[in-house]
């Protein structure tokens, strides 16, 4: 019974308590009224004894000292009773007249008290304590009230809010850590070309006026300066893309695997001619419709594909798996794989191949990082791993946009 009441709604519970209290009050007041009437009749009979006043004397006594009662008893005159009997008579009259009212009020008050104690007190204490913990930036707590009523639903919503705050704090700290790493990487990447430009500038300033170096060497230095300037231009362009990423709104549309396959095939033919490497496109999915942003999906795929082509020896394979709830695009290559932990591969400015200095000069190292941010913005994630047979695998997962 207690478990059933705990899971009843608040409205039904207070109604049940009131009904039970009124029923109990009615029967208890009826019992008290009957008991009071019998007690009062016993007092009256002391003054209406038929053996003491038989026949005509009883009639004369009744005319002078008795009044009829609604219940059939003869009520003696009030001033003829003893003080103790008068008090008992008054109490019995009071109980018969007001017992129902008094017990109804008392029962209603008791039902409200029991309702608060059994239905509201514990969840309100939990919510109050939870609010105090949140105001003190303490999220290491749990709300344990789990009844299936409105208060239980409120507590569960509060617990979900607490869990969301914890997740938001984790994301915030992760974002701050990545921002610090990004600032460090930016300062490093800008310092390198600036150091090269400064060195060449000093050499040209010192040796060119005195013709200590040949014109051919001077032109070679100027050519290297131009490459460093191009590198800085590419880096600034990438940073602009990164800064506009958060402001970019998703434009969902109904997509199919065949549609994405056609879009990728057109670009694959161009990349195969430019790189001289083989790109295989496989579709392992039924014909289901997926709601997502086609531009973001294709941009992430292009970033990952260009990254894979830089390190692949001969072949890159793209596997497209599109379903109603998620879209998976897996890109594998037969290269050397990730040199460091795969968990760091999608970090900001993480060098994929630190041994290839030429590659580090031509690329900013933000492609994987931007791809991961796009996947997370699309409700998905970016998975990286090294293959046992050699090479790397990167899987972009995109969640369905509601």
């Amino acid at each position: 019974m207690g478990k059933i009441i705990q899971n009843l709604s608040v409205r039904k519970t207070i109604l049940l308590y009131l009904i039970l209290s009124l029923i109990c009050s009615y029967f208890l007041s009826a019992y008290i009224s009957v008991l009071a009437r019998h007690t009062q009749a016993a007092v009256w009979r002391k003054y209406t004894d038929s053996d003491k006043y038989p026949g005509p004397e009883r009639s004369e006594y009744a005319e002078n000292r008795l009044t009829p009662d609604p219940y059939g008893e003869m009520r003696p005159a009030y001033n003829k009773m003893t003080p103790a009997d008068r008090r008992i008579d008054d109490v019995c009259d009071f109980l018969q007249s007001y017992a129902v009212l008094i017990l109804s009020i008392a029962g209603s008050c008791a039902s409200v008290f029991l309702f608060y104690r059994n239905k509201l007190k514990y969840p309100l204490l939990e919510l109050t304590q939870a609010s105090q913990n949140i105001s003190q930036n303490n999220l290491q707590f749990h709300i344990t009230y789990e009844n299936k009523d409105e208060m239980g639903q409120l507590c569960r919503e509060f617990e979900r809010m607490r869990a969301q705050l914890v997740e938001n704090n984790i994301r915030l700290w992760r974002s701050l850590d990545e921002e610090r790493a990004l600032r460090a990487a930016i300062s490093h990447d800008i310092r390198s070309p600036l150091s090269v430009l400064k060195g060449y500038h000093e050499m040209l300033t010192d040796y060119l006026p005195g013709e200590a170096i040949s014109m051919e060497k001077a032109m070679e230095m100027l050519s290297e300066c131009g490459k460093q300037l191009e590198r800085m231009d590419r880096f600034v362009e990438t940073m602009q893309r990164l800064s506009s990423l958060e402001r970019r709104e998703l434009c969902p549309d109904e997509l199919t695997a065949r549609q994405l396959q056609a879009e990728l095939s057109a670009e694959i033919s161009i990349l195969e001619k430019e790189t001289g490497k083989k790109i295989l496109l496989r579709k392992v999915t039924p014909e289901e419709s997926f709601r997502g942003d086609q531009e973001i999906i294709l941009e992430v795929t292009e970033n990952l594909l260009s990254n894979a082509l830089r390190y692949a020896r001969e072949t890159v394979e793209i596997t497209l798996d599109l379903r109603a709830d998620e879209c998976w695009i897996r890109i594998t290559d037969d290269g050397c794989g990730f040199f460091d932990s795969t968990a760091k591969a999608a970090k900001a400015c993480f060098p994929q191949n630190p041994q290839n200095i030429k590659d580090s000069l031509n690329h900013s190292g933000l492609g994987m990082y931007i791809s991961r941010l796009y996947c997370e913005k699309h409700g998905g994630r970016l998975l990286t791993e090294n293959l046992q047979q050699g090479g790397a695998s990167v899987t972009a997962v995109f969640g369905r946009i509601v």
Side-chain angles (χ1 to χ4, degrees), residues 1-8 13 119 146-149:
M1 183 66 179
K3 190 68 175 177
I4 296 176
I5 293 178
Q6 286 179 352
N7 292 327
L8 282 178
T13 303
K119 203 72 175 174
E146 296 180 352
N147 289 353
K148 298 178 181 179
D149 56 2

Side-chain angles (χ1 to χ4, degrees), residues 29-297:
S29 62
Y31 174 76
I32 291 175
S33 297
V34 171
L35 183 61
R37 181 162 57 86
H38 285 292
T39 302
Q40 192 177 46
V43 172
W44 291 349
R45 278 194 291 270
K46 292 192 299 183
Y47 301 94
T48 60
D49 191 348
S50 59
D51 295 334
K52 184 176 180 181
Y53 302 100
E57 295 181 2
R58 175 176 173 81
S59 299
E60 182 183 356
Y61 182 83
E63 290 177 359
N64 297 328
R65 305 185 63 180
L66 303 176
T67 57
D69 185 78
Y71 297 102
E73 297 288 344
M74 297 304 293
R75 183 167 191 160
Y78 187 77
N79 58 354
K80 300 302 180 180
M81 290 187 292
T82 64
D85 289 337
R86 285 200 298 268
R87 284 193 294 271
I88 295 174
D89 185 64
D90 291 339
V91 170
C92 291
D93 282 339
F94 179 83
L95 291 177
Q96 291 179 73
S97 301
Y98 299 105
V100 174
L101 177 61
I102 294 174
L103 291 176
S104 297
I105 294 175
S108 299
C109 294
S111 66
V112 172
F113 172 78
L114 292 174
F115 171 77
Y116 172 78
R117 189 191 68 178
N118 298 333
K119 203 72 175 174
L120 300 179
K121 182 178 180 180
Y122 182 71
L124 288 178
L125 287 176
E126 287 246 344
L127 293 175
T128 302
Q129 185 63 39
S131 300
Q132 293 175 356
N133 286 328
I134 291 177
S135 65
Q136 297 170 3
N137 294 325
N138 176 27
L139 300 177
Q140 303 302 317
F141 67 92
H142 293 279
I143 298 178
T144 58
Y145 187 82
E146 296 180 352
N147 289 353
K148 298 178 181 179
D149 56 2
E150 291 89 342
M151 297 304 297
Q153 182 179 0
L154 178 61
C155 289
R156 286 190 293 274
E157 291 297 330
F158 212 94
E159 175 66 16
R160 276 195 285 269
M161 181 184 71
R162 182 204 65 81
Q164 187 63 46
L165 287 174
V166 172
E167 184 178 352
N168 290 343
N169 283 348
I170 293 175
R171 289 180 179 176
L172 177 61
W173 284 110
R174 184 186 303 155
S175 176
L176 292 176
D177 289 340
E178 291 183 352
E179 185 178 350
R180 284 194 292 267
L182 185 60
R183 287 200 301 267
I186 290 173
S187 61
H188 176 270
D189 279 16
I190 291 180
R191 188 183 299 113
S192 297
L194 287 178
S195 298
V196 174
L197 289 174
K198 182 180 179 181
Y200 284 148
H201 175 266
E202 291 177 352
M203 290 181 64
L204 291 174
T205 303
D206 292 339
Y207 299 112
L208 189 59
E211 297 183 356
I213 57 174
S214 62
M215 186 58 66
E216 181 179 350
K217 185 65 174 178
M219 293 303 297
E220 183 180 346
M221 291 182 182
L222 291 176
S223 177
E224 290 296 327
C225 290
K227 292 179 181 179
Q228 295 300 324
L229 291 174
E230 290 178 3
R231 179 187 177 190
M232 293 183 66
D233 286 339
R234 285 193 298 270
F235 191 81
V236 171
E237 182 181 354
T238 303
M239 294 306 301
Q240 289 176 345
R241 288 175 54 202
L242 189 62
S243 62
S244 62
L245 187 148
E246 292 296 330
R247 298 191 302 269
R248 182 169 179 176
E249 297 293 335
L250 297 177
C251 300
D253 197 5
E254 295 295 330
L255 306 174
T256 61
R258 183 176 300 177
Q259 181 180 351
L260 289 179
Q261 187 178 22
E263 294 287 344
L264 292 173
S265 297
E267 185 175 353
I268 285 174
S269 59
I270 299 175
L271 292 175
E272 285 182 330
K273 293 179 181 178
E274 291 180 354
T275 61
K277 298 175 182 179
K278 186 68 175 177
I279 303 176
L280 304 177
L281 177 60
R282 295 194 307 119
K283 178 170 68 73
V284 290
T285 182
E287 289 300 326
E288 296 187 25
S289 177
F290 172 76
R291 185 172 177 79
D293 192 318
Q294 179 176 334
E295 291 187 4
I296 287 182
I297 294 176

Side-chain angles (χ1 to χ4, degrees), residues 264 267-269 271-272 275-283 300-320 329-337 387 389-395:
L264 292 173
E267 185 175 353
I268 285 174
S269 59
L271 292 175
E272 285 182 330
T275 61
K277 298 175 182 179
K278 186 68 175 177
I279 303 176
L280 304 177
L281 177 60
R282 295 194 307 119
K283 178 170 68 73
V300 171
T301 305
E302 291 170 4
N303 285 341
L304 300 180
L305 182 58
S306 62
N307 191 69
L309 287 171
R310 289 205 308 272
Y311 304 112
R313 295 186 179 91
E314 297 178 355
T315 307
V316 173
E317 183 175 338
I318 306 175
T319 304
L320 178 61
I329 299 179
R330 185 171 186 255
I331 299 178
T332 60
D333 61 69
D334 58 353
C336 55
L387 303 178
Q389 67 272 22
S393 171
V394 182
T395 303

